Amino acid sequence: MITLTSAEENYLKAIYHLSDGGKKGVSTNDVSAEMKTKPASVSDMLRKLGEKEVIEYRKYYGLHITEEGKKLALQTIRKHRLWEVFLVEKLKFSWDEVNEVADELSHVKCKVLIQRLDEYLGFPKFDPHGDPIPDEYGDVRARPRQLLNELDLGSTGQIVAVKDSSPAFLRYLDKVGAYIGARIKVMDKTEFDGSVEILVDNKKSIFMSKDVAGNILVMV
Amino acid sequence: MITLTSAEENYLKAIYHLSDGGKKGVSTNDVSAEMKTKPASVSDMLRKLGEKEVIEYRKYYGLHITEEGKKLALQTIRKHRLWEVFLVEKLKFSWDEVNEVADELSHVKCKVLIQRLDEYLGFPKFDPHGDPIPDEYGDVRARPRQLLNELDLGSTGQIVAVKDSSPAFLRYLDKVGAYIGARIKVMDKTEFDGSVEILVDNKKSIFMSKDVAGNILVMV
DNA sequence: TTTTATTTTTAGCCTACCCTAAATCATAAA
DNA sequence: TTTATGATTTAGGGTAGGCTAAAAATAAAA
């Protein structure tokens, strides 16, 4: 059985995200930027992850995550997202505050704990940001989603996730009245700058730049 | 502000317990046995805790916990016991399984998390073993307790804690039908071996040796 | 009081994870 | 094709927390 330290788990999770679930290769600098550690530290960690065979690592040529690596990454993501659900649903944290705390909580080593937590939360399928929660075996059932700026005029849907989940962006959304779960309808689209007018929950009308709308995922 | 690492927090908590809340002095070997680390490692840690002034440390003569140390230890104990309540009440762990997991959970660094958890659990005053949960400021309100083997014939009370909380002992109690919160009455006492007969919840009668009864605390 | 035994500390080493500075590799430009 | 640039790795060092083996201090026994 492969066991990873907390730091190794963090790196592998970052690598999984950067490689878009294993589709793309990833560079040392990519990981460095994501983890906010220096490239030299990353090199060292990649060597270790390579030895544990959760990534395939060729010096100077970047890396690919292995099947085993994907499994482990998905288990880490599962833990992280279940704790996020707990923090938001039960402890009333707002969805822009939970990331770091969930990270720490998800490093507690206890299989049973995660099973019980899952059960206690009612086996949720999505986290507060709308991202899917993998099951025990790493299976993910994603729902069909579309970027808000690509929706046709008049089409309706529900906000289910954001691409950029930085606290700043999440706070901005809260401020203008958009939130995960909001029912929306595209009322107007401006051709020359790509901005859109959105009706939220059939009552509040808000404007969004193309950049903002391009960060919002809608289930249609 | 004094900040402690997770390991330092663990040592300080152990020291607090060993010194019976600050009443007694503690030796290096005591700490070594409690923490399951070697005396050499303990010496090093005591030096560090001494520098941070949470203990008063004299080489070769043991240590005393300081007022500041007590405060910090009580905050760690508070976190630990709140997580224990969560694990037992919400996630349905049994009270003999929660210690290590609560330990890991209590190292998550987030003040707000503990406040919200406390609120979510309904501001509990005692943990699943019946031990009191200190408040935010380290105040503890202990309830008057007596050892079960010292109760008079015919007296009644409620089991609120155990002295020996080893998994083996806790499982034994579960097996014979005793548990934290059980209403009990002393039905018989045998003089020559100190064993007792106890009526639990007015229905089940159980026998206990003096050793077992001497490990059970009852609120009278 | 002297010797022996026990406790405690020091010295030195190890792993994990991070860092900086210097060296090396790959590639884009001249 | 050679050079310059940027990415990456190596070398060496720091902190935290553990370890063993040996030295030193205290306590107990002769």
Side-chain angles (χ1 to χ4, degrees), chain A residues 203-217:
Chain A
K203 41 178 201 274
K204 195 179 173 194
S205 185
I206 59 179
F207 275 97
M208 266 180 199
S209 71
K210 188 184 178 186
D211 277 359
V212 170
N215 269 313
I216 298 177
L217 287 154

Side-chain angles (χ1 to χ4, degrees), chain B residues 104-158:
Chain B
E104 289 194 65
L105 285 167
S106 65
H107 290 134
V108 175
K109 305 274 178 234
C110 179
K111 270 251 170 79
V112 176
L113 175 63
I114 296 304
Q115 286 167 5
R116 298 274 170 90
L117 182 66
D118 191 25
E119 188 182 340
Y120 179 59
L121 297 172
F123 307 104
K125 295 288 167 284
F126 300 92
D127 80 2
H129 306 94
D131 295 314
I133 298 172
D135 69 15
E136 274 186 90
Y137 313 103
D139 284 337
V140 183
R141 183 115 345 260
R143 43 187 160 182
R145 304 185 294 187
Q146 230 178 317
L147 287 172
L148 179 45
N149 67 327
E150 289 168 350
L151 290 187
D152 293 327
L153 191 63
S155 56
T156 61
Q158 191 176 8

Side-chain angles (χ1 to χ4, degrees), chain B residues 5-81:
Chain B
T5 65
S6 294
E8 285 168 349
E9 262 186 18
N10 275 348
Y11 271 96
L12 191 59
K13 178 156 63 109
I15 287 167
Y16 180 87
H17 288 312
L18 287 168
S19 67
D20 196 14
K23 292 187 206 113
K24 299 192 290 239
V26 177
S27 75
T28 300
N29 260 5
D30 292 344
V31 178
S32 165
E34 181 75 13
M35 293 298 295
K36 297 174 177 39
T37 53
K38 299 292 160 184
S41 310
V42 174
S43 280
D44 205 52
M45 183 54 90
L46 294 184
R47 189 185 46 71
K48 281 191 261 181
L49 292 176
E51 278 167 13
K52 293 196 175 181
E53 297 184 13
V54 294
I55 62 171
E56 203 184 309
Y57 173 49
R58 267 188 66 206
K59 276 188 203 172
Y60 295 104
Y61 285 92
L63 62 100
H64 284 269
I65 194 164
T66 65
E67 284 305 311
E68 191 60 36
K70 273 188 218 172
K71 268 189 214 162
L72 290 174
L74 283 164
Q75 276 173 31
T76 305
I77 289 166
R78 169 177 162 78
K79 288 187 282 181
H80 184 95
R81 291 185 179 164

Side-chain angles (χ1 to χ4, degrees), chain A residues 132-144:
Chain A
I133 298 172
D135 69 16
E136 274 185 270
Y137 312 104
D139 284 337
V140 183
R141 183 115 346 261
R143 44 187 160 183

Side-chain angles (χ1 to χ4, degrees), chain A residues 90 92 104 109 116 120, chain B residues 90-91 104 109 120:
Chain A
K90 304 294 185 183
K92 306 300 171 200
E104 288 193 65
K109 307 274 179 234
R116 297 275 170 89
Y120 178 60
Chain B
K90 304 294 185 183
L91 299 198
E104 289 194 65
K109 305 274 178 234
Y120 179 59

